[in-house]
Amino acid sequence: MSATSNNPYIGLRPFDVDESLLFFGRNNQTLELLQRLHQHHFVSVVGSSGSGKSSLIRAGLIPSLKAGYLMEDSDQWLIVIMKPGRSPLYNLAEAILSQIPEKNNAVSIEALVQEIMEVGSEVIVHLMQQIQKDTNINFFLLVDQFEELFRFAAEQKDVSRQDEAIEFVNSILELAKQQTVPFFVVITMRSDFIGDCSLFYGLPEAMNESQYLVPRLNRVQLKTVIEGPAKLFGGKLDASLTSRILNDLGKVKDELPLLQHALMRLWDYETKVHQDDNLGLDDYLGIGGLEKALCIHADEALIGMSDRELFITKRMFQSLTAIDSNGRKIRRPVLLSQLKELTGATSEELEHIIDCFIKEGRSFLIISVLGDSTDKIIDISHESFIRQWDKLGSWVDEEGESAAYYLQLVEALRLYQLKKKDLLAGSELQLMLDWRNRFKPIAVWANRYKNGFVESLAYLEASEQEQLRLIGIEKARKKKQSYLIYSIMGLLFAMCLAAVIATTILNGKNEEIRTALMKSKKIIQSFFFYDDKFAIAYNENKFYFINKEGESVDKLGQWDEAEQFDNKTGFAKVQIDRKDFLLDTNGAKYKVAYNLTDVDTSLEALDLSGQMQSELTLNPKKLTNLKVLIISNNNLTSLPIALTQLPNLTDLYADGNRLSFIPKEIGNVRHLHVRP
């Protein structure tokens, strides 16, 4: 029985070999495995994540082997348990030699690895024969979490390291086939990795012969899982509690890990808080039930952490997880020394935080010794923790987003070096700059995904400088153009105003203008009415608006700069305190930008007209308040699908393009102008 005998439930981690008395509900499955192993010396135990594969072998099959249920003439076993991890052959050699005290050292392990690479599995068979001389012993190898081998093979860039994965698979298959010594091999693997087995010759064939798909427990078996350990420890469960838990199990994923964790929390809550010697619904609700117990327990580990510790915790868990090429959230064991680089923390800081996720029955992290090194391997105890802790799930998504941006930048650099792409510009550049400023990537992080971080950042910075140079040129051009226009306007106003006003008043040809002039209290240098509503007036270096009564329209305000209302869009461009706005004839104003580099979430209007763009990339997250989009007179052939993700967009002007595709989902736009 486990050393933690104060609680009969193990929590999130798998059962261990010495916990078979606490392992309920799997008797039939254990017998089926024994039969399969009797027929085939190689068995692959396959199931979904959280189906209890590791526990079935460790606390079900292995104790049965030791009890003599497989070999009639011998109950002596040398049990070797390993995971492929970061070095499958080294871990295999280390696991085997750990059972031989006189050879359990780093020199012997390295020597055995080298012999396996040169000779193959025969060296292991020879070693087993030496052990068998003195005793009639059988050999059993468990390769737990076999899917780690696929990640190892995918991450290796050195050909010799890739060969190590192949040699490992060949070795375990040969050990199971040879008949010199009784050697049995079992691997456990997540079912969603079955397709990856085709990477290794002979592995799919071996699995087809003896694969065991772990079935789900039925209601009766689950009942024994819930009640059996408690009864063994003299505890009592209300029948209503058992029924409630069984019903809740049908509503969650990762049911077995969540069940064990919730039961562990339930027992602790009853013995430490409630203390009425009866496990009931009150205890169950007190821990948050099956769906929330793990989240609450994990969140409690964060209580009392400083801002720095919270930052380190986030970076640590992002380093311990990954999203693979198939979109699966998986564990990624990391050395403690690497975690120090990735998080910027000291060993003491990391060990304190890691302990927060191990103590008090959490068991969310596992620490393993790395051979005879002083370094340690840190790993998440179960992948269900990634899926079930909401905060960790969001951290993993954020990590995946950052990695995707980095890989996109590396690819852009590759195309640039091949002269198939220019420097980044427009929205593509803005997205990359936002990524850099938000995530603040470092080389040790980036190179875990792909080498080339320094070169990629240099490419991004060169693109940024080029963009700033072009913006400076454009601003200077517009400023010079504005000065020229206003100078001409002022000259024309001075020359023509008197004649215009006099002619208008004396001839009486425009009664509305005459009336406005007579009633206005300001000296108006020039104006005309737009949309029969307002006129732009200019006086004493200020622009303002009047109505037909000659009164200043206060709600429109006074502006340092202003232009007449545009005949197509109905907007006037105005500026005050160096900030740009669009003004409509109803007096509403919209904060506006004229290029994608100035985009932020406060923006209400975006005018990209006349920029000759052939492709438009918008970031919906930065345009949540956008109401007006003007993309007229470009070279667009289609509208970006991102327009459908702008909840507040009401006015879209896209005339003067070559549009052939308009997303049908654009249904909220009030004014849609797409004339060619």
Side-chain angles (χ1 to χ4, degrees):
M1 187 170 296
S2 173
T4 57
S5 56
N6 60 327
N7 193 318
Y9 301 103
I10 65 166
L12 196 64
R13 66 173 177 79
F15 280 84
D16 214 336
V17 175
D18 63 347
E19 294 171 328
S20 59
L21 288 177
L22 302 174
F23 189 62
F24 287 82
R26 298 282 195 177
N27 292 337
N28 291 338
Q29 295 177 17
T30 301
L31 291 174
E32 291 170 354
L33 270 176
L34 286 168
Q35 293 173 353
R36 197 70 56 92
L37 202 59
H38 179 72
Q39 296 172 350
H40 309 277
H41 284 213
F42 176 87
V43 176
S44 59
V45 179
V46 179
S48 60
S49 178
S51 62
K53 303 178 293 298
S54 297
S55 296
L56 177 60
I57 307 303
R58 292 170 183 262
L61 179 63
I62 291 177
S64 296
L65 295 179
K66 291 182 175 181
Y69 284 100
L70 184 65
M71 304 294 287
E72 294 181 359
D73 57 342
S74 174
D75 60 357
Q76 298 295 312
W77 288 86
L78 189 150
I79 305 292
V80 176
I81 300 176
M82 62 158 294
K83 299 177 184 178
R86 301 169 56 86
S87 182
L89 276 183
Y90 185 93
N91 291 348
L92 173 62
E94 182 182 35
I96 291 174
L97 295 183
S98 67
Q99 305 298 315
I100 308 173
E102 63 272 18
K103 294 189 176 183
N104 187 18
N105 56 75
V107 175
S108 299
I109 294 171
E110 291 290 354
L112 181 56
V113 170
Q114 189 61 35
E115 287 185 90
I116 294 173
M117 291 292 292
E118 295 174 357
V119 181
S121 63
E122 293 179 11
V123 64
I124 299 177
V125 174
H126 179 68
L127 189 62
M128 298 299 103
Q129 284 180 304
Q130 292 179 326
I131 297 174
Q132 234 186 359
K133 286 181 180 179
D134 302 324
T135 178
N136 186 19
I137 194 170
N138 309 296
F139 304 95
F140 177 83
L141 169 65
L142 167 61
V143 184
D144 203 5
Q145 297 173 18
F146 187 80
E147 63 269 10
E148 288 183 359
L149 186 69
F150 306 131
R151 182 174 66 238
F152 168 81
E155 290 177 349
Q156 303 311 312
K157 299 176 179 62
D158 188 338
V159 175
S160 63
R161 293 286 283 168
Q162 293 175 354
D163 290 342
E164 180 179 347
I166 297 173
E167 189 60 46
F168 175 78
V169 173
N170 291 340
S171 294
I172 64 173
L173 292 178
E174 290 169 3
L175 285 171
K177 287 180 181 178
Q178 57 80 37
Q179 298 180 353
T180 305
V181 296
F183 204 108
F184 300 84
V185 178
V186 171
I187 67 172
T188 66
M189 184 178 68
R190 277 173 48 181
S191 53
D192 50 334
F193 283 89
I194 287 180
D196 297 89
C197 294
S198 60
L199 296 171
F200 300 97
Y201 179 78
L203 182 58
E205 292 80 1
M207 292 182 63
N208 285 338
E209 290 182 5
S210 59
Q211 180 174 294
Y212 182 78
L213 184 61
V214 178
R216 294 185 62 180
L217 298 181
N218 58 38
R219 196 173 179 89
V220 174
Q221 292 168 328
L222 287 170
K223 188 172 183 293
T224 64
V225 170
I226 296 169
E227 297 178 342
K231 291 179 180 178
L232 195 64
F233 274 55
K236 298 178 181 178
L237 281 85
D238 287 346
S240 59
L241 172 60
T242 301
S243 180
R244 172 68 179 272
I245 295 175
L246 289 171
N247 292 336
D248 287 350
L249 280 170
K251 304 174 185 177
V252 298
K253 295 180 180 179
D254 303 307
E255 60 179 21
L256 291 181
L258 283 185
L259 175 61
Q260 281 295 328
H261 179 269
L263 290 171
M264 179 200 70
R265 291 283 283 164
L266 188 70
W267 185 273
D268 284 342
Y269 186 86
E270 160 56 30
T271 56
K272 297 176 183 179
V273 179
H274 214 194
Q275 297 181 344
D276 65 354
D277 298 325
N278 186 50
L279 297 169
L281 281 174
D282 289 343
D283 301 309
Y284 184 66
L285 297 176
I287 65 167
L290 196 65
E291 294 183 82
K292 298 180 180 179
L294 188 147
C295 262
I296 293 173
H297 201 194
D299 287 339
E300 287 175 357
L302 303 177
I303 296 175
M305 285 190 180
S306 65
D307 290 343
R308 173 171 171 77
E309 288 173 329
L310 289 172
F311 173 79
I312 295 172
T313 301
K314 177 181 177 180
R315 284 292 177 89
M316 179 184 73
F317 275 109
Q318 287 178 328
S319 302
L320 292 171
T321 53
I323 299 178
D324 69 9
S325 58
N326 294 314
R328 296 171 296 205
K329 294 179 179 179
I330 58 175
R331 299 177 301 159
R332 179 168 51 179
V334 180
L335 295 175
L336 182 63
S337 57
Q338 291 178 319
L339 278 181
K340 289 171 60 179
E341 293 183 278
L342 290 163
T343 62
T346 64
S347 297
E348 292 74 18
E349 287 176 318
L350 278 171
E351 289 173 356
H352 169 69
I353 291 171
I354 290 168
D355 186 55
C356 290
F357 289 90
I358 294 178
K359 66 182 181 181
E360 298 180 8
R362 290 190 179 93
S363 303
F364 297 145
L365 294 176
I366 297 175
I367 303 176
S368 305
V369 178
L370 182 63
D372 63 346
S373 168
T374 57
D375 211 344
K376 301 173 184 176
I377 300 174
I378 313 301
D379 195 7
I380 292 174
S381 61
H382 203 285
E383 284 179 347
S384 60
F385 182 57
I386 305 174
R387 295 184 290 271
Q388 296 298 331
W389 187 21
D390 295 338
K391 188 175 292 294
L392 177 53
S394 66
W395 289 344
V396 176
D397 290 337
E398 184 179 311
E399 171 75 3
E401 179 187 0
S402 181
Y405 276 120
Y406 170 65
L407 293 174
Q408 183 180 341
L409 179 61
V410 173
E411 176 62 14
L413 171 61
R414 186 186 71 83
L415 294 174
Y416 175 76
Q417 292 170 335
L418 294 174
K419 302 187 183 303
K420 294 182 179 181
K421 187 179 181 67
D422 296 327
L423 291 171
L424 300 175
S427 58
E428 185 180 18
L429 172 60
Q430 187 59 47
L431 287 172
M432 288 300 173
L433 292 175
D434 291 343
W435 162 75
R436 183 193 65 186
N437 297 334
R438 178 184 172 193
F439 291 101
K440 297 178 175 56
I442 58 176
V444 67
W445 169 85
N447 290 333
R448 300 175 78 204
Y449 293 97
K450 201 162 189 176
N451 290 329
F453 174 75
V454 174
E455 298 86 348
S456 298
L457 261 290
Y459 170 63
L460 177 57
E461 290 171 3
S463 301
E464 182 182 21
Q465 292 303 314
E466 177 64 11
Q467 181 83 339
L468 292 173
R469 186 184 71 83
L470 294 175
I471 290 173
I473 293 173
E474 180 64 15
K475 284 185 176 180
R477 185 190 68 80
K478 286 186 176 181
K479 187 175 182 179
K480 183 177 180 180
Q481 186 181 48
S482 297
Y483 284 147
L484 180 60
I485 291 173
Y486 290 137
S487 297
I488 294 172
M489 285 176 60
L491 179 61
L492 291 174
F493 291 160
M495 294 174 61
C496 302
L497 185 59
V500 171
I501 294 176
T503 302
T504 300
I505 296 175
L506 295 175
N507 294 342
K509 293 181 179 179
N510 191 328
E511 185 64 24
E512 292 178 347
I513 295 179
R514 186 186 70 81
T515 302
L517 284 173
M518 294 295 291
K519 293 181 178 181
S520 176
K521 297 179 181 179
K522 298 181 181 293
I523 298 174
I524 303 169
Q525 293 186 352
S526 80
F527 70 92
F528 68 84
F529 285 105
Y530 175 82
D531 199 21
D532 207 31
K533 291 182 179 180
F534 306 125
I536 294 181
Y538 177 78
N539 182 47
E540 297 178 354
N541 297 323
K542 281 286 185 182
F543 289 87
Y544 61 95
F545 293 80
I546 64 168
N547 58 21
K548 291 181 179 180
E549 299 300 315
E551 298 169 343
S552 175
V553 183
D554 293 334
K555 68 175 180 178
L556 301 184
Q558 295 184 8
W559 310 90
D560 297 330
E561 296 182 17
E563 298 180 13
Q564 298 286 1
F565 285 100
D566 183 75
N567 289 328
K568 288 185 178 181
T569 64
F571 292 105
K573 298 179 181 179
V574 295
Q575 188 180 88
I576 187 170
D577 295 333
R578 299 183 180 274
K579 295 180 181 178
D580 294 315
F581 296 88
L582 291 185
L583 190 73
D584 67 18
T585 56
N586 291 317
K589 63 179 181 180
Y590 307 86
K591 183 181 178 183
V592 66
Y594 297 103
N595 58 71
L596 290 171
T597 59
D598 295 331
V599 167
D600 59 49
T601 54
S602 66
L603 204 67
E604 298 173 299
L606 181 60
D607 185 355
L608 303 176
S609 59
Q611 298 188 12
M612 306 303 291
Q613 297 193 37
S614 58
E615 184 177 353
L616 186 62
T617 304
L618 300 175
N619 183 359
K621 294 181 180 180
K622 291 266 182 124
L623 299 171
T624 53
N625 290 310
L626 190 71
K627 299 176 181 178
V628 179
L629 177 61
I630 305 173
I631 52 176
S632 307
N633 302 319
N634 282 285
N635 294 323
L636 302 175
T637 57
S638 63
L639 295 179
I641 199 69
L643 291 179
T644 64
Q645 303 174 38
L646 305 180
N648 293 307
L649 184 66
T650 58
D651 291 71
L652 172 63
Y653 299 88
D655 51 303
N657 288 286
R658 297 174 292 166
L659 298 176
S660 59
F661 169 71
I662 299 176
K664 64 181 180 179
E665 294 86 353
I666 301 179
N668 296 327
V669 178
R670 182 179 62 196
H671 296 145
L672 176 61
H673 300 266
V674 291
R675 293 188 303 274

